Amino acid sequence: VNDKAYGGSSAPEAPVHENPEWEKARQALASISKSQNSTKTSPTNRTTSQAGQYQTAVTDSSAMQQQQQQQQYYPWYPQNQQQYPGYAYPYYNYYPITTFVDVECLCYGVPGAYPPPTTPTGQPPAMPMMEEQSSSYSSEPQPPPPAVPQPPPQSPTSSDQPPPPPPPPIPPPPNAQYPPPPSQNPYNPNGALPYSPTDSNPMRGYNHGQPRPSYQGYQPPGYPPPPQQGPGQGPYGGAGRGDGNKKPNNANMNKGGQQLWNRMKQAPGAGGVKFNIQKRPYVMANQNFPPGEQPPGLATSTAATAATSAATTSTAGAAQAGPQDWPQAMKEYVQRCFAACETEEDKDRTEKVLKDILQSRLQDGSAFTIDWTREPLPDVKPRQSRWEAVPQRSQENASGRGGATRGRGGARLGNYRNVFSQRSPSSSSSRSSSRSPSPHSRHRDRSRHRRSDSGSQSDSSISSDLRPISRRQQRGGRGRGEERDRGRGGERGRGRGGKANRGRRNMDDPGSGIGKKRKGGNAGLDFHDPNREAKKQSRAARFHTKRTEPLVLNINAFDLPNGTQEGLSWEDCPIVGTCQDITKNYLRLTCAPDPSTVRPVPVLKKSLTAVKAHWKTNQDYQYACEQMKSIRQDLTVQGVRTDFTVEVYETHARIALEKGDHEEFNQCQTQLKALYKDCPSSNVGEFTAYRLLYYIFTKNSGDLTTELVYLTPELREDECVSHALALRAAWALGNFHRFFQLYKRAPRMAAYLIDKFVERERKLALGAIFKTFRPSVPVEYVQSSLAFPCLDTCLAFLTGLGVAFTPSDPSKIDCKASSACLTTS
Amino acid sequence: ETHLKIHYILPREEQVLEAIDTRDGVFCAELLSFKHPHVANPRLQLSSPEDKCQQVLEPPYDEMVAAHLRCTYAVANHDFVEAYKSFQAHKEENWYVSLFKQKCILAEQCFKSAEQQLQKKGKGKVGDMLEKAAEQLMSCFRVCASDNRAGIDDSKKWGMLFLINQLFKIYFKINKLHLCKPLIRAIDSSNLKDDYSMAQRVTYKYYVGRKAMFDSNFKLAEEYLSFSFQHSHRSCQRNKRLILIYLLPVKMLLGHMPTTQLLKKYDLMQFTDVTKAVSEGNLLLLNEALAKHETFFIRCGIFLILEKLKIITYRNLFKKVYLLLKTHQLPLDAFLVALKMMQVEEVDIDEVQCILANLIYMGHIKGYISHQHQKLVVSKQNPFPPLSSVS
């Protein structure tokens, strides 16, 4: 029944659906089915027998395809859950290539997968078979293997396959890198067992579907080439190669497999690379492999085919159960996974991962027991990061993954949705299948209460929902423009632009999509919507769509910028230097400091003394600055915040001030401000005054006000501070006389700072003077009022401005004539 | 136990749902506000509310509510930093403007609390958190401002002014007034600027007026702040008082002295002495008044503005001298005497000239100084033009 449903859906779809998305989906399905088939076949005879097996299997080709498709969906998911063991084995066991694939898959999809050990070689295989047959994998997983292999057509292969032998050879290389090899054995068994049993079972299923024949056709060709290609195809081709399934040609599969394979080969080396490769292959496969071509491809790509077959076989094991039997929740899970894909790559990866997951899940029967609704989507992107860099969120991977998956996975998976949406018909068929009294049905129910309960209703709602959504997504992902038309869509599109949330949003699309609809509807409608009930219902239906992944707030993973900074604070991980050099050149740190190049405080004290002495005698600012900076750096690195630190910064600030080095001076000021909180120094007033003066210089009345707020009465009494305050008051009122009187009396190094804006203030004052005095004003008055050190400098300044002196008396300024020069200058 | 919890959430969620369904953003916002009683419900203070929310709400909202609940939890545990994180998650989700507003307000409160907490721990720089908050708001603002497709009625642009006001609030707090400029420009160029709700406009003008004041653009400041003051709801005494704190100095600088009644009504008696001193030209009293309430004025950020009233006070003082002497040629010594009477320290004739120069320069006195004769020669007509006509 299931097969029929699938077949019906899939078969019809294949022809009907020209959408690229569709194609992908189909291909994915096909690949799955193929993989499954292949697995089945492979189990029967890893290599040689495969063809035969396949053929046999092929008989059901149509059914097989269907099944495969179904299976594919499921298998992928389950695989994730089950973890690696399951995956690798089924696919890879038979074909060496498969191992590669598995490895990749493992790497990417399931870190945890590695555990392959869990599925001891023999047992797992058996398990699948049993399960499938029994309907509940869990119960008899192991037994199946025997059954599987035995099945006449495939049995030979299956038996062979189950045995680790084939896999081991192939796996070794790839495996070496990854744990997979061990798992292979388990897998093989699984795969083999599953296959054979599945075959028998699947056969039924297939028969139903009828597709089998086609399936066989596919597989056979593919199988010959077996090993290496197989694996590649399995994961990649399988998924991508949905074409094969859809198109029904094994050849497609094979070709895809081959091509994929090549890519795969690269991939095996590096996870990231592989993925990229996969992508292309995927596309290639679709495009390149018209049905006709497929056959040739098969021939050429014997190896590849073999590999694919292996993969298929492995999946087949799972497939055996028959798509029909897959829990609805699992199917939905698959849909969700694809729905979360944004790019082709994502889809490919997802496909791969899903295969593994579903397969393993199906094999061990957990597919029927776990709660698919809670199953995290495969984390596709993270893999890359893994390889390239340490996973940022290892935790996520380990446990929930939720966060990462959501964010990244979601984004990636986006496009897939489309596929699914288009597919929706198929999904509906699957629904029916689920309803069918398959043995597994109970499990499904368990796994997904709601959906199973609601049965057709919920499903239908889902499917219907999905379609629009998928469309939207496509648009959203590709072109926002369309979305915009829909009103909210625009928003979403934008939103996606962004970050992790994007992914989630995509996922949400279904829901939101509904929301949109509603909105749209509402726009026209009134608030007093007569359709309230209907709304409620739709709302209820919506809930079934839920988010694709479990909701995990970003907050968890979110790192407060502050937090991180603090986390990295030098004080948290102090080191103590051992360097004894008095002088040290400044180098900006780009990595963790090496204690051997860091000077401890006692040495630094000597250094400071030396720098001071050097400065006094040589006035070599460049040298002093560099030395001071290196001292500061050493202090920072060691988390030293003491009076000595204050002294260093004060010293550097003074030197910088003297030389007019704004940048360093401000850096020191900033540090000092913070340091003074912990280590009050007798110079607090001095540097507070400098800060005030600096604000005057920058005319920053806001900061000035803020600074005033924090001035304690004691501080106001400080010589420097009171001077700065008086200066500020004079400056604020334009009282240049007082201002310059204060300038002349500037304590400590305040004059250096005031120098920065003295000229500005002089000009302002001159403006007032020229406007006020008539007919003239003596230069002496200007000189004394504006605090020029001597008459000459004053004259130089005035002439520089183009001031006009009275013709009769050069010691007087013609104010009227001069006022113009200020405005112009 | 879990079921229990869910049950507790459920009624609330139902309400939220209802609100979402009817697009009742205001109500929804209320439900998700921190003022709502549910916040105190320990059963809703879940450390990981995701599951429950996911089960009850549809996607865009479940996260929002989950974040909200998480936040509730964090606040209940006095972990404001955590709460702050929760809010960051909130940001992206809310597109219902009113919901949005609620969230922004909450966010800001949280940011403040978070900052306070951080400061207590001695970590973080002042304003760090607020800056983060501003970033979040900014991103929301960009979304709103770029909403060009929606019809004018349900455009997100209606959220702009609110966001801008929130941003102003933060920018003023962290002394980043220069960041206000683009926002002001955005509103100035908006065709909706006069159609926003009066409440928003009042707030907006309040901040822009304050900014103008700090930029020494007193005329503009007076205009905006006056608008704000006049259009505040009469029940918003506190707001009106806040506005007055800035409007008063501006008005005084422009020559409009507040009545005692006004100051009384709004409990701004700190200004009484200032007002009196300025209008009397009593420099001494002004200095005393400023010193007396310095803390208040500084905290309000108007100390530096009030200081400028000294110039007005000089003007009024010197006008008195002029009126006393009844001549147009005023010896500078007379002003020196006057200043010394006001106990100005270390004042000398040069400073008198300086002060007079400034007054003349700014237009408060029409006349000139003869340095040679040490006299101020004032115009025979209207030597002390009214303040409102100056500057």
Side-chain angles (χ1 to χ4, degrees):
Chain A
V1 176
N2 295 335
D3 292 347
K4 291 176 182 178
Y6 283 92
S9 63
S10 66
E13 289 175 358
V16 175
H17 311 283
E18 296 348 64
N19 278 348
E21 299 284 0
W22 233 130
E23 273 305 307
K24 291 176 184 177
R26 276 198 224 151
Q27 293 176 356
L29 290 177
S31 67
I32 299 173
S33 61
K34 287 181 182 178
S35 65
Q36 293 174 352
N37 293 335
S38 66
T39 53
K40 294 176 181 178
T41 57
S42 65
T44 55
N45 51 357
R46 296 169 189 172
T47 56
T48 57
S49 64
Q50 292 174 353
Q53 295 173 356
Y54 284 93
Q55 294 171 355
T56 57
V58 177
T59 56
D60 298 341
S61 66
S62 64
M64 291 294 287
Q65 291 176 351
Q66 296 174 352
Q67 292 178 352
Q68 289 175 352
Q69 293 177 351
Q70 296 175 351
Q71 291 177 351
Q72 290 172 356
Y73 288 113
Y74 305 98
W76 299 339
Y77 306 95
Q79 290 175 354
N80 287 335
Q81 294 178 347
Q82 291 183 347
Q83 306 169 346
Y84 312 57
Y87 312 79
Y89 298 91
Y91 297 103
Y92 308 83
N93 294 337
Y94 304 94
Y95 308 89
I97 301 169
T98 51
T99 57
F100 284 88
V101 177
D102 288 350
V103 175
E104 293 177 356
C105 292
L106 294 174
C107 304
Y108 297 110
V110 197
Y114 293 76
T118 57
T119 52
T121 59
Q123 296 176 354
M127 295 298 288
M129 294 300 292
M130 294 301 289
E131 293 173 355
E132 291 178 351
Q133 292 176 351
S134 64
S135 76
S136 62
Y137 292 79
S138 59
S139 63
E140 305 174 351
Q142 298 175 350
V148 176
Q150 278 89 13
Q154 304 172 349
S155 65
T157 53
S158 66
S159 64
D160 293 349
Q161 295 171 352
I170 302 165
N175 290 339
Q177 300 173 349
Y178 313 86
S183 66
Q184 291 178 351
N185 294 336
Y187 288 108
N188 294 330
N190 291 337
L193 296 173
Y195 284 90
S196 52
T198 38
D199 289 348
S200 62
N201 294 335
M203 290 303 289
R204 302 170 190 173
Y206 294 134
N207 294 334
H208 299 294
Q210 302 168 354
R212 256 205 173 182
S214 63
Y215 177 70
Q216 293 176 349
Y218 291 89
Q219 293 178 349
Y223 286 71
Q228 301 170 348
Q229 296 177 352
Q233 293 175 351
Y236 298 75
R241 326 18 190 188
D243 313 343
N245 292 334
K246 292 179 180 179
K247 296 183 178 179
N249 298 328
N250 294 332
N252 289 339
M253 291 298 291
N254 294 334
K255 285 185 177 181
Q258 292 176 351
Q259 294 177 352
L260 295 172
W261 190 183
N262 297 334
R263 296 164 189 173
M264 289 298 289
K265 285 180 179 177
Q266 297 174 352
V273 178
K274 291 177 182 180
F275 284 107
N276 296 334
I277 298 167
Q278 291 177 357
K279 240 196 171 181
R280 295 173 186 173
Y282 181 92
V283 176
M284 300 279 293
N286 296 337
Q287 299 173 350
N288 297 338
F289 307 89
E293 292 181 359
Q294 295 173 353
L298 294 173
T300 55
S301 63
T302 56
T305 52
T308 52
S309 66
T312 50
T313 53
S314 64
T315 46
Q320 292 176 358
Q324 326 100 346
D325 297 334
W326 292 345
Q328 179 64 27
M330 192 172 89
K331 295 175 188 170
E332 288 164 0
Y333 174 76
V334 174
Q335 288 185 337
R336 267 183 285 137
C337 289
F338 279 104
C341 289
E342 276 190 345
T343 65
E344 295 297 329
E345 292 181 31
D346 291 336
K347 291 181 189 173
D348 287 344
R349 285 175 216 148
T350 306
E351 189 183 356
K352 224 200 295 176
V353 175
L354 282 181
K355 260 195 211 164
D356 291 343
I357 297 175
L358 294 186
Q359 192 173 334
S360 58
R361 285 282 178 197
L362 286 174
Q363 285 181 355
D364 69 9
S366 58
F368 298 94
T369 54
I370 65 164
D371 181 1
W372 286 104
T373 58
R374 309 229 35 168
E375 192 69 6
L377 292 189
D379 192 1
V380 181
K381 284 187 182 179
R383 303 169 185 171
Q384 292 180 348
S385 64
R386 257 190 220 158
W387 293 107
E388 295 164 7
V390 182
Q392 301 170 349
R393 311 173 175 182
S394 56
Q395 338 147 348
E396 293 177 358
N397 295 335
S399 61
R401 257 193 233 162
T405 334
R406 236 221 257 136
R408 303 168 186 174
R412 293 165 212 153
L413 302 180
N415 292 341
Y416 272 106
R417 270 193 197 167
N418 300 334
V419 177
F420 278 93
S421 63
Q422 296 175 350
R423 268 209 179 181
S424 57
S426 68
S427 69
S428 64
S429 66
S430 65
R431 264 179 256 141
S432 63
S433 69
S434 69
R435 271 183 240 145
S436 71
S438 70
H440 306 283
S441 60
R442 335 159 201 167
H443 297 280
R444 288 173 211 152
D445 291 349
R446 266 185 236 152
S447 61
R448 264 230 161 172
H449 306 278
R450 295 182 187 168
R451 301 204 173 161
S452 61
D453 297 345
S454 57
S456 60
Q457 282 189 355
S458 65
D459 289 349
S460 64
S461 66
I462 295 169
S463 63
S464 62
D465 287 344
L466 283 176
R467 289 183 185 176
I469 296 159
S470 65
R471 268 180 240 145
R472 248 181 251 142
Q473 283 190 342
Q474 293 179 353
R475 293 177 189 172
R478 302 172 181 176
R480 295 177 192 169
E482 297 184 29
E483 279 196 5
R484 289 185 185 169
D485 298 343
R486 301 203 170 187
R488 249 215 222 154
E491 258 194 315
R492 216 165 275 138
R494 270 187 240 142
R496 277 189 203 155
K499 334 155 177 183
N501 283 342
R502 246 202 266 149
R504 201 194 300 125
R505 283 199 180 170
N506 292 339
M507 319 273 300
D508 298 343
D509 277 4
S512 59
I514 299 164
K516 266 193 199 170
K517 291 179 190 171
R518 245 209 288 144
K519 257 198 175 178
N522 286 346
L525 298 176
D526 232 340
F527 279 96
H528 319 292
D529 189 349
N531 301 331
R532 203 159 212 192
E533 271 312 305
K535 269 191 181 179
K536 272 190 181 174
Q537 282 190 352
S538 75
R539 198 207 296 154
R542 242 180 283 144
F543 291 144
H544 288 281
T545 62
K546 275 191 178 181
R547 41 180 79 243
T548 46
E549 324 168 22
L551 171 65
V552 177
L553 292 178
N554 278 343
I555 314 159
N556 302 323
F558 194 94
D559 258 20
L560 248 190
N562 271 348
T564 53
Q565 287 172 8
E566 287 165 10
L568 292 177
S569 163
W570 294 111
E571 295 172 35
D572 294 344
C573 46
I575 63 169
V576 176
T578 58
C579 178
Q580 298 297 313
D581 299 341
I582 301 293
T583 63
K584 177 181 138 186
N585 287 337
Y586 173 76
L587 268 180
R588 192 186 178 95
L589 273 183
T590 54
C591 59
D594 175 3
S596 66
T597 63
V598 173
R599 295 165 291 182
V601 173
V603 177
L604 288 175
K605 284 185 174 165
K606 288 182 201 163
S607 303
L608 180 62
T609 312
V611 174
K612 277 181 175 173
H614 187 275
W615 168 249
K616 277 175 191 160
T617 55
N618 299 323
Q619 292 284 306
D620 181 351
Y621 179 68
Q622 210 169 351
Y623 172 84
C625 181
E626 172 147 347
Q627 290 302 317
M628 292 306 295
K629 283 176 84 164
S630 73
I631 292 175
R632 280 162 50 189
Q633 184 186 62
D634 286 352
L635 288 171
T636 305
V637 161
Q638 298 175 88
V640 177
R641 287 171 72 87
T642 62
D643 292 344
F644 175 66
T645 315
V646 171
E647 185 187 350
V648 168
Y649 278 100
E650 286 177 351
T651 304
H652 194 190
R654 289 196 186 103
I655 295 176
L657 183 57
E658 183 173 341
K659 286 298 168 185
D661 186 342
H662 275 228
E663 206 174 307
E664 291 303 326
F665 175 74
N666 285 332
Q667 277 185 27
C668 292
Q669 276 282 56
T670 309
Q671 286 298 320
L672 283 172
K673 191 174 180 180
L675 279 169
Y676 283 148
K677 284 178 191 161
D678 303 331
C679 315
S681 136
S682 56
N683 297 320
V684 173
E686 175 185 351
F687 286 91
T688 304
Y690 293 160
R691 195 168 301 120
L692 288 171
L693 294 176
Y694 195 81
Y695 290 144
I696 297 174
F697 167 55
T698 57
K699 297 201 225 174
N700 190 335
S701 60
D703 283 343
L704 209 45
T705 308
T706 313
E707 195 68 35
L708 291 179
V709 174
Y710 294 105
L711 284 184
T712 60
E714 304 83 58
L715 211 49
R716 284 169 183 272
E717 296 301 314
D718 182 271
E719 177 198 9
C720 296
V721 175
S722 63
H723 172 267
L725 287 175
L727 190 99
R728 184 210 60 76
W731 168 75
L733 295 181
N735 191 332
F736 52 84
H737 175 78
R738 195 169 280 259
F739 177 90
F740 286 104
Q741 293 304 313
L742 289 167
Y743 169 56
K744 284 192 237 174
R745 283 189 269 129
R748 304 210 188 176
M749 299 180 71
Y752 283 107
L753 265 174
I754 304 174
D755 277 341
K756 293 178 186 299
F757 54 97
V758 141
E759 188 167 316
R760 177 184 84 198
E761 298 304 320
R762 278 179 176 150
K763 283 184 185 171
L764 280 174
L766 276 180
I769 290 172
F770 291 162
K771 185 164 186 195
T772 302
F773 290 93
R774 291 291 184 276
S776 62
V777 67
V779 174
E780 290 89 353
Y781 172 78
V782 173
Q783 184 220 329
S784 68
S785 286
L786 304 189
F788 284 103
C790 65
L791 205 57
D792 286 344
T793 53
C794 180
L795 280 173
F797 181 77
L798 293 174
T799 47
L801 289 173
V803 167
F805 299 91
T806 53
S808 58
D809 184 356
S811 70
K812 288 185 178 174
I813 299 168
D814 184 340
C815 291
K816 204 168 188 177
S818 299
S819 54
C821 71
L822 273 177
T823 53
T824 54
S825 64
Chain B
E1 185 192 349
T2 323
H3 276 292
L4 256 184
K5 283 183 182 171
I6 294 176
H7 273 303
Y8 266 86
I9 298 181
L10 268 175
R12 215 173 69 78
E13 308 285 295
E14 269 310 322
Q15 285 181 304
V16 174
L17 273 181
E18 210 43 50
I20 290 173
D21 244 19
T22 57
R23 306 199 305 174
D24 184 353
V26 178
F27 181 55
C28 193
E30 191 193 317
L31 288 177
L32 292 178
S33 127
F34 266 11
K35 292 175 184 165
H36 197 271
H38 79 263
V39 172
N41 184 344
R43 303 208 189 233
L44 287 177
Q45 290 161 1
L46 310 173
S47 62
S48 47
E50 292 97 323
D51 296 350
K52 280 90 190 177
C53 293
Q54 191 184 351
Q55 286 169 17
V56 183
L57 288 166
E58 60 190 281
Y61 305 105
D62 59 351
E63 177 170 17
M64 189 176 80
V65 175
H68 171 73
L69 291 179
R70 165 72 62 78
C71 196
T72 309
Y73 168 79
V75 169
N77 291 286
H78 303 284
D79 184 353
F80 290 109
V81 178
E82 180 68 22
Y84 155 83
K85 291 187 202 170
S86 305
F87 270 121
Q88 289 224 315
H90 264 185
K91 297 277 95 167
E92 305 269 337
E93 300 298 329
N94 309 321
W95 34 263
Y96 281 145
V97 170
S98 53
L99 242 193
F100 205 46
K101 292 179 184 172
Q102 191 61 54
K103 287 292 160 257
C104 291
I105 294 172
L106 288 183
E108 214 210 303
Q109 289 168 351
C110 253
F111 285 130
K112 269 191 244 163
S113 305
E115 175 150 340
Q116 282 165 8
Q117 193 181 42
L118 277 184
Q119 281 173 350
K120 270 184 209 155
K121 290 182 194 162
K123 293 180 189 171
K125 285 184 212 154
V126 184
D128 256 14
M129 277 301 185
L130 286 175
E131 279 181 48
K132 293 289 173 307
E135 276 173 29
Q136 298 292 321
L137 290 173
M138 230 8 232
S139 63
C140 297
F141 170 74
R142 283 190 208 102
V143 170
C144 287
S146 58
D147 181 13
N148 294 319
R149 285 168 297 101
I152 215 71
D153 284 342
D154 53 357
S155 168
K156 280 191 284 296
K157 287 195 172 183
W158 291 111
M160 274 172 67
L161 199 57
F162 169 80
L163 286 172
I164 286 181
N165 287 334
Q166 293 300 315
L167 283 169
F168 278 166
K169 195 172 176 182
I170 294 174
Y171 290 154
F172 272 82
K173 208 151 262 153
I174 61 178
N175 266 326
K176 296 261 168 94
L177 293 194
H178 60 279
L179 295 174
C180 297
K181 248 187 190 164
L183 301 178
I184 294 173
R185 216 179 299 134
I187 287 299
D188 280 346
S189 64
S190 164
N191 46 3
L192 298 176
K193 68 178 164 188
D194 293 327
D195 299 328
Y196 289 105
S197 78
M198 186 50 77
Q200 295 301 331
R201 290 171 66 201
V202 164
T203 309
Y204 173 75
K205 298 243 179 189
Y206 165 71
Y207 282 117
V208 177
R210 277 181 68 184
K211 184 177 186 305
M213 183 185 80
F214 288 125
D215 294 340
S216 299
N217 191 343
F218 299 117
K219 285 262 168 70
L220 191 69
E222 188 199 13
E223 181 193 325
Y224 280 166
L225 290 171
S226 296
F227 175 94
S228 213
F229 183 71
Q230 286 160 13
H231 292 86
S232 285
H233 197 275
R234 73 176 55 164
S235 67
C236 301
Q237 292 298 297
R238 190 178 157 273
N239 285 348
K240 290 197 140 194
R241 180 173 184 270
L242 283 176
I243 297 167
L244 272 185
I245 286 175
Y246 301 97
L247 184 57
L248 288 177
V250 172
K251 282 277 192 187
M252 285 195 272
L253 276 176
L254 295 175
H256 305 288
M257 297 298 158
T259 65
T260 315
Q261 288 166 302
L262 182 73
L263 297 179
K264 242 181 204 158
K265 183 179 176 187
Y266 291 99
D267 186 25
L268 288 170
M269 297 308 281
Q270 296 94 331
F271 286 94
T272 45
D273 278 350
V274 175
T275 309
K276 183 163 177 263
V278 171
S279 47
E280 287 176 356
N282 189 339
L283 206 57
L284 184 60
L285 181 60
L286 179 64
N287 284 332
E288 285 172 356
L290 287 180
K292 189 175 169 191
H293 301 290
E294 184 173 357
T295 316
F296 171 78
F297 293 140
I298 286 181
R299 291 209 175 272
C300 293
I302 55 171
F303 182 80
L304 298 184
I305 305 294
L306 290 176
E307 202 179 38
K308 289 188 192 295
L309 287 174
K310 274 190 186 175
I311 294 170
I312 311 296
T313 313
Y314 283 134
R315 177 250 186 207
N316 290 343
L317 177 64
F318 291 171
K319 187 178 178 184
K320 282 190 172 174
V321 172
Y322 160 76
L323 292 174
L324 283 172
L325 294 180
K326 295 176 181 171
T327 172
H328 297 295
Q329 299 192 356
L330 306 162
L332 297 181
D333 286 340
F335 297 108
L336 182 61
V337 171
L339 288 177
K340 282 189 172 162
M341 193 186 82
M342 292 299 164
Q343 300 179 18
V344 179
E345 298 169 3
E346 303 175 35
V347 73
D348 59 19
I349 204 71
D350 279 350
E351 186 166 348
V352 170
Q353 292 186 54
C354 171
I355 293 170
L356 283 172
N358 273 312
L359 288 172
I360 293 170
Y361 185 56
M362 289 190 277
H364 289 302
I365 298 177
K366 288 164 85 174
Y368 65 88
I369 295 176
S370 168
H371 189 263
Q372 190 179 355
H373 301 99
Q374 291 291 297
K375 282 193 174 171
L376 170 69
V377 181
V378 295
S379 161
K380 291 181 182 172
Q381 286 185 345
N382 199 15
F384 293 87
L387 285 171
S388 48
S389 70
V390 179
S391 70

